[in-house]
Amino acid sequence: MIALTLDVNGGMRKAVVEDRMSLLDCLRDALGLHGTHAGCEHGVCGTCTILLDGEPVRACLMLAAQAEGHAITTIEGVAPRPGEMSIVQDAFCETHGLQCGYCTPGMVLTAEALLATNPAPSRADIITAISGNLCRCTGYGQIVEAILLAAERRRGTNQREAP
Amino acid sequence: MKAVPFVYRRAASVAEACAWRTEDPDAVLIAGGQTLMPMLAMRLVRPSQVIDIGRIVELDHIRVEKDHVLLGATTRQDAAERSRIVAEALPLLARALPWIGHPPTRRRGTIGGSIANADPAAEIALVAVASGAEILIAGADDGRDALSAAEFFLAPMVTALPPGAMVTGLRFPRAKPRHSGTGFAEIARRQGDFALAAVAVSLTLDDEGGLADIALAIGGATPVPTRLALDALIGEPPAGRRVGDAVADGIARLEMMSDGHASATYRRRAAERLAQTAIAMAAAEVGAREGGR
Ligand code: FES
Ligand code: FES
């Protein structure tokens, strides 16, 4: 067993986990953050995407112990306040950017990271950014639309967005 | 949890990682983990210990040393992708990096991990062979500290790394600045999937527009990345028949892999076609840089 202190969504969280535990399992089972979805659990689908120091990575492809010292953002950390949604989340709802919702946390976080560095992405930029995230429902069209809409809205606001 | 139980340890130095590894033959090293983690999840690897080399400061660097560029083993693939040194001094590597996996896997995946893992579809290994790079190692029982990329890859996921040794980095010869161009072409089932075939080429042209030198290697299709012997083509125009024939002939002699994704015949044809594309790309780059020829 290993005692970890992880920086998750702006707060320090402690967990004692088995050495072999992935960051994905640690977030879900040790820290109770079930928003990060477990899909393939071997790096193929992207639904477990989290932000590590602001950049998307796959939580199933890291050991929890490797995440110490990095800032982790999960889907629970993107809304400005409890009960609210981020601009990106809102845009996904409005454009029907999700159906079953399985891929959605990964898609939203990937979009948040893209828009943080590229406020006016082209369609091609968006497709490259989400190329590692599988969606079995939407056909991706509405997801791209959602991210374009979110980009436009974020440019029109002076509100500081999480994360 | 899908992996077998193991002990996780963080090495503070190369010497410490090598010592721990020598002590325990069932220990494995982890850096970015983008290949090891799936293998652990599928229990294809059942280690007693996982030694994290990801925090060893001396392994994370990109620097120029005379006529070479050194990349530390734990340099992230995306750091290399964003590096000005790589863009300027290693244009072939710069062309290949965006083909590796997806942005999130390049964020964690490392240069040395890709080399040590020796997947036949790995782009960095292909570029290393095409460029005549050296694999830098530490802890070898025979005292060697480098192996040429050409001798390093023996079979899929099998390397000539001596027992007890680890990969510490790569040393690439700097690209020639004058009259030179590079090309990289790959085919996979979807963007970011394993290459079914890939070709890396760098060439220089003489003042008449003929080949002054050409280095071309095939990956993905063959069990290990393999460079073709094309020295007989010096002086030939890159778009000429003789170049096309010699490349096709070289590819015809290679052993091609065959699996559920693509047959050997498919891979051979794809490699031929990709080679043409990559050579044309490289020749066009020389032309563009020197204002047409
Ligand atoms: S659960 Fe991590 S990539 Fe599928
Ligand atoms: S909404 Fe169902 S997988 Fe994307």
Side-chain angles (χ1 to χ4, degrees):
Chain A
M1 301 292 275
I2 181 168
L4 300 176
T5 307
L6 297 176
D7 174 354
V8 184
N9 299 328
M12 297 313 270
R13 302 283 303 265
K14 285 189 186 306
V16 178
V17 302
E18 276 190 62
D19 294 27
R20 60 172 163 158
M21 195 179 242
S22 69
L23 177 59
L24 171 62
D25 287 342
C26 177
L27 290 169
R28 290 178 57 85
D29 300 344
L31 302 179
L33 296 168
H34 297 123
T36 307
H37 287 171
C40 65
E41 297 177 72
H42 58 254
V44 177
C45 70
T47 192
C48 67
T49 302
I50 51 126
L51 304 185
L52 193 77
D53 302 325
E55 293 280 349
V57 305
R58 288 159 161 33
C60 71
L61 291 190
M62 287 182 73
L63 295 171
Q66 287 181 292
E68 267 194 320
H70 294 283
I72 298 161
T73 307
T74 68
I75 193 68
E76 289 88 347
V78 301
R81 272 170 294 278
E84 295 185 6
M85 285 196 285
S86 76
I87 291 177
V88 174
Q89 287 174 309
D90 220 22
F92 268 72
C93 294
E94 259 185 68
T95 61
H96 299 273
L98 62 148
Q99 287 178 29
C100 79
Y102 210 85
C103 68
T104 313
M107 290 288 185
V108 167
L109 284 163
T110 304
E112 298 275 4
L114 172 69
L115 299 184
T117 54
N118 182 354
S122 65
R123 206 164 257 279
D125 294 338
I126 294 172
I127 289 170
T128 305
I130 65 169
S131 66
N133 295 62
L134 296 183
C135 175
R136 292 286 93 136
C137 304
T138 63
Y140 303 98
Q142 299 107 291
I143 293 177
V144 174
E145 227 178 280
I147 300 172
L148 284 167
L149 176 63
E152 190 186 314
R153 288 205 175 139
R154 277 174 62 128
R155 290 198 300 274
T157 174
N158 59 6
Q159 201 184 313
R160 204 173 154 266
E161 260 265 71
Chain B
M1 270 173 301
K2 297 169 84 179
V4 296
F6 55 73
V7 173
Y8 169 87
R9 293 169 94 179
R10 256 176 223 156
S13 66
V14 169
E16 191 167 61
C18 288
W20 289 349
R21 186 93 166 296
T22 314
E23 251 159 48
D24 178 359
D26 293 329
V28 295
L29 302 182
I30 193 167
Q34 301 302 286
T35 303
L36 183 61
M37 287 296 290
M39 289 173 71
L40 288 169
M42 290 183 261
R43 298 205 173 186
L44 295 170
V45 178
R46 298 158 170 266
S48 53
Q49 290 187 46
V50 172
I51 301 169
D52 188 355
I53 58 166
R55 290 172 202 246
I56 302 178
V57 184
E58 59 190 295
L59 290 180
D60 184 7
H61 56 80
I62 301 174
R63 60 169 182 258
V64 178
E65 213 166 70
K66 285 191 199 143
D67 294 337
H68 291 90
V69 179
L70 299 182
L71 294 160
T74 64
T75 305
R76 305 280 170 197
Q77 291 154 5
D78 85 330
E81 203 177 341
R82 295 178 205 194
S83 155
R84 293 247 341 238
I85 296 178
V86 171
E88 280 163 22
L90 302 178
L92 183 57
L93 182 63
R95 276 202 195 270
L97 286 164
W99 287 92
I100 305 170
H102 305 284
T105 59
R106 295 201 291 278
R107 180 77 187 162
R108 296 287 303 160
T110 64
I111 299 283
S114 172
I115 291 290
N117 186 50
D119 191 295
E123 288 84 358
I124 296 172
L126 172 59
V127 171
V129 169
S131 316
E134 280 180 294
I135 318 291
L136 307 179
I137 62 174
D141 51 2
D142 57 6
R144 274 185 296 177
D145 59 5
L147 292 166
S148 75
E151 63 185 329
F152 188 79
F153 303 103
L154 299 180
M157 328 302 274
V158 182
T159 70
L161 192 67
M166 65 179 271
V167 173
T168 56
L170 279 180
R171 179 162 53 216
F172 281 94
R174 267 184 96 141
K176 299 189 185 69
R178 279 177 47 78
H179 300 337
S180 67
T182 59
F184 189 91
E186 171 172 323
I187 187 160
R189 289 170 70 107
R190 285 167 300 248
Q191 179 175 357
D193 272 13
F194 292 100
L196 300 173
V199 175
V201 60
S202 61
L203 51 79
T204 17
L205 299 186
D206 59 26
D207 290 332
E208 274 74 59
L211 287 169
D213 66 59
I214 177 165
L216 184 149
I218 313 283
T222 48
V224 294
T226 310
R227 187 163 156 177
L228 300 186
L230 298 175
D231 287 347
L233 295 176
I234 303 307
E236 295 291 334
R241 266 280 296 279
R242 296 217 25 212
V243 172
D245 288 350
V247 169
D249 188 55
I251 290 171
R253 288 165 205 270
L254 299 178
E255 179 200 342
M256 294 283 149
M257 294 189 295
S258 188
D259 56 29
H261 298 296
S263 66
T265 312
Y266 176 91
R267 283 189 156 96
R268 191 180 309 282
R269 284 156 119 176
E272 259 179 52
R273 196 52 190 271
L274 293 167
Q276 287 170 12
T277 307
I279 292 171
M281 194 185 281
E285 191 179 69
V286 185
R289 250 200 244 151
E290 263 120 77
R293 158 184 295 283

